[in-house]
């Protein structure tokens, strides 16, 4: 466990940079994290980010890529274009939620 | 407490699916209740019960298709009604199952045991040209039989085993396929002409760190390439190319692909019953669904965070039946299912290793079921014999719902070696292609 500073605020993150407490997140932090990853957040990115946060607060874990593709309104192919390093993990980190449990 | 139907004054239990979970649940319930107290009806779309662990051996000619299939109705005890019919949907509001021919089956308690289905059509190109001629799966009987022919004709080249996405049934089976392929080509004297590759969406050979490290190293020993974090976006069967969403390509001459899995289609047609992938939302410790109190689920049909495997279904069965009885009696449910799974992993050349784990404890080295027993996470001939013997145990012990001596539903904690609390370096051992 360590801390990172986004938008001038200290937040708790795990070893891989995922937020420990999604309540510490705000949109400005997402923009900073995305910029560091070389992504300029557009409407489609925000659609995914908001869907991920909603799923997390409803179900206790972020969605897998397949569920994102079925339910977020953004197809899997586009998800990879938006978040090239793997949509589930990359978008979850930018969305300020823990790493999706996904695979068993 | 269940309101018994006024006409019959007996409780009606309907079980959907006559595979491992449905059959053992029906048989255990039938033994528990006299026929006058409880009616048990089991529905399945066909009368072919496939011993699914046997599918792994069919492609290599180590098992014959006819040896792993038996009639479903013959596995059910006397006093259990078997209906061979497709399922249209479940209507939760009226506690009714609607069958494909329009028949309505009212129930007091419903058990969903319809497993997982393969969804090759969800992957671009997978079910297109080349499917069942150059790209196969061994996850169903037709595929396993066709693959046996293809392997027989295979004289060399690139064989790629690819898991498209998790969850899949028996997550170790694709690895076992790699190990057995290595042995199979060695015995045919053409191993040096075959390049074996395992492409997985996971970041290692397996989901849990200690076993992943062990199995990754075994792949290396057997000269099987490992491609990790590979998310298959497209399969071109004719050209023989897997393309990942990240643009990486894995060429093949013979493709063995494990398609995406979903819950049964009728779950999707039943309002409120399933999740996005048609699995039933289920309490991981009681096996009661979270959609309605009189609906339970077992095995691959659930969304519980355990492997989709027969051993999980077996261990769930005892807790499930206990909880159905408690539910009918109006008693509090027993939340004791711990996610216990136990698998033999065939490693080729008449050897196998065994893993034993649950929700909280990953597969560890040691011995099962106690300090003196079969070795865990270590190759041995004993484990291979165990795997072969298990087929008999399945038909004659597990399905009839008999308790297997010394093997209870809860994971034994004794006999396991816990890892030293150092960082895992298994990630560095992967071979990226």
């Amino acid at each position: 466990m360590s801390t990172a500073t986004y938008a001038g605020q200290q937040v708790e993150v795990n070893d891989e940079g995922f937020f420990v407490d999604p309540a510490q997140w705000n949109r400005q932090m997402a923009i900073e994290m995305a910029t560091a990853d070389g992504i300029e957040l557009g409407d489609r990115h925000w659609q995914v980010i908001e869907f991920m946060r909603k799923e997390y607060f409803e179900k206790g874990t972020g969605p897998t890529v397949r569920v994102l593709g079925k339910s977020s309104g953004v197809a899997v192919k586009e998800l990879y274009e938006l978040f090239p390093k793997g949509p589930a993990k990359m978008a979850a980190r930018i969305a300020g939620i823990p790493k999706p449990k996904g695979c068993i | 407490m269940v309101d018994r139907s006024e006409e019959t004054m007996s409780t009606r239990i309907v079980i959907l699916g006559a595979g491992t979970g449905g059959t053992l649940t029906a048989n255990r319930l039938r033994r528990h209740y006299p026929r006058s107290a409880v009616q048990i009806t089991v529905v399945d779309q066909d009368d072919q019960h496939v011993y699914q662990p046997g599918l792994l051996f069919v492609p290599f000619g180590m098992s014959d298709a006819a040896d792993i299939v038996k009639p479903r109705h013959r596995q059910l005890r006397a006093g259990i009604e078997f209906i061979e019919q497709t399922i249209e949907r479940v209507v939760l509001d009226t506690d009714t199952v609607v069958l494909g021919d329009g028949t309505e089956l009212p129930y007091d308690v419903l058990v969903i045991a319809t497993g997982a289905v393969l969804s090759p059509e969800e992957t671009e190109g997978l079910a297109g040209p080349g499917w069942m001629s150059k790209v196969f799966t061994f996850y169903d009987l037709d595929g396993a039989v066709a693959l046996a022919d293809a392997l027989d004709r295979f004289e060399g080249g690139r064989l790629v085993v690819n898991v498209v996405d998790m969850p899949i049934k028996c997550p170790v089976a694709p690895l076992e396929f790699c190990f057995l392929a290595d042995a199979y080509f060695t015995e045919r004297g053409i191993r040096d002409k075959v390049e074996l590759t395992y492409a997985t969406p996971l970041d290692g050979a397996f989901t849990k760190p200690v076993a992943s490290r062990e199995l990754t190293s075994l792949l290396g020993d057997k000269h099987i390439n490992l491609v990790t974090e590979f998310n298959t976006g497209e399969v071109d069967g004719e050209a023989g190319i897997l393309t990942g969403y990240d643009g990486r390509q894995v060429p093949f001459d013979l493709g063995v692909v494990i398609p995406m899995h979903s819950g049964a289609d009728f779950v999707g047609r039943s309002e409120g019953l399933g999740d996005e992938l048609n699995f039933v939302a289920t309490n991981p410790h009681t096996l009661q669904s979270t959609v309605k109190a009189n609906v339970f689920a077992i095995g691959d049909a659930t969304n519980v965070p355990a492997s989709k495997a027969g051993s999980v279904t077996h261990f769930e069965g005892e807790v499930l039946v206990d909880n159905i009885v408690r539910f009918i009696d109006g008693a509090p449910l027993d939340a004791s299912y711990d996610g216990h799974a136990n698998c033999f992993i065939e490693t080729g050349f008449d050897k196998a290793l065994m893993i034993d784990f649950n929700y909280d404890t990953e597969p560890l080295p040691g011995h099962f079921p106690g300090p003196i027993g079969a070795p865990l996470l270590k190759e041995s001939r004993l484990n291979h014999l165990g795997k072969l013997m298990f087929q008999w145990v399945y038909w004659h012990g597990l399905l009839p719902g008999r308790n297997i001596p010394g093997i209870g539903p809860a994971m034994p904690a004794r006999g396991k070696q816990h890892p030293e609390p150092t960082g895992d370096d298994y990630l560095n051992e992967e071979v990226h292609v």
Side-chain angles (χ1 to χ4, degrees), chain B residues 57-81:
Chain B
F57 297 109
V58 172
F60 302 105
M62 296 162 71
S63 196
D64 203 57
D67 297 338
I68 60 170
V69 183
K70 293 189 182 196
R72 294 188 193 276
H73 74 273
R74 295 279 299 276
Q75 316 312 316
L76 297 167
R77 289 177 75 88
I80 296 169
E81 184 190 14

Side-chain angles (χ1 to χ4, degrees), chain B residues 110-237:
Chain B
L110 181 69
V111 179
I112 314 273
T114 35
V117 297
L118 305 180
S119 311
E121 67 290 343
E122 274 198 51
T123 302
E124 197 177 332
L126 180 53
W131 179 236
M132 295 289 266
S133 60
K134 196 165 165 179
V135 184
F136 299 86
T137 188
F138 63 97
Y139 267 54
D140 60 24
L141 197 56
D142 291 346
V145 170
L147 182 53
D149 279 345
L151 278 174
D152 201 38
R153 291 192 305 269
F154 196 68
E155 296 299 332
R158 295 158 303 186
L159 191 157
V160 172
V161 179
N162 172 232
V163 175
V164 172
D165 200 358
M166 302 299 284
I168 59 167
K169 292 188 270 192
C170 191
V172 294
L175 282 168
E176 295 180 278
F177 187 93
C178 293
F179 298 144
L180 288 179
D182 168 65
Y184 169 84
F185 291 122
T186 304
E187 277 155 17
R188 277 183 55 191
I190 57 167
R191 179 64 182 90
D192 57 335
K193 297 193 181 106
V194 180
E195 187 184 323
L196 282 172
T197 300
Y198 181 55
T200 168
L202 302 176
D203 57 11
F206 193 59
T207 51
K208 312 282 174 107
V210 174
S212 185
R213 188 165 56 210
E214 210 61 45
L215 292 167
T216 298
S217 122
L218 207 50
L219 285 172
D221 293 348
K222 294 175 187 291
H223 306 287
I224 299 164
N225 304 320
L226 175 61
V227 183
T228 58
E229 297 188 77
F230 186 82
N231 295 286
T232 310
E234 192 184 342
V235 179
D236 186 336

Side-chain angles (χ1 to χ4, degrees), chain A residues 59 66 71 76 80 104, chain B residues 122 207 231 260-262 276:
Chain A
K59 299 183 180 165
R66 189 167 162 214
S71 310
V76 175
Y80 276 91
I104 297 134
Chain B
E122 274 198 51
T207 51
N231 295 286
M260 288 191 205
H261 286 35
S262 312
E276 297 89 346

Side-chain angles (χ1 to χ4, degrees), chain B residues 12-27:
Chain B
R12 297 157 306 183
I13 301 177
V14 172
I15 298 172
L16 302 180
T20 310
T23 302
L24 68 87
T25 301
N27 287 335

Side-chain angles (χ1 to χ4, degrees), chain B residues 374-430:
Chain B
L376 289 169
L377 255 183
K378 188 166 174 283
E379 285 188 274
S380 79
R381 285 178 193 276
L382 180 63
N383 286 332
H384 170 68
L385 292 174
K387 177 138 185 158
L388 297 186
M389 262 165 38
F390 187 71
Q391 185 163 352
W392 190 92
V393 175
Y394 180 83
W395 296 111
H396 301 282
L398 193 150
L399 290 184
R402 296 196 178 92
N403 294 332
I404 299 170
I407 315 282
M411 186 198 77
R414 294 172 70 234
K416 291 190 170 61
Q417 297 159 17
H418 289 264
E420 291 177 24
T422 53
D424 279 303
D425 57 351
Y426 71 99
L427 288 175
N428 300 327
E429 294 171 16
E430 293 162 21

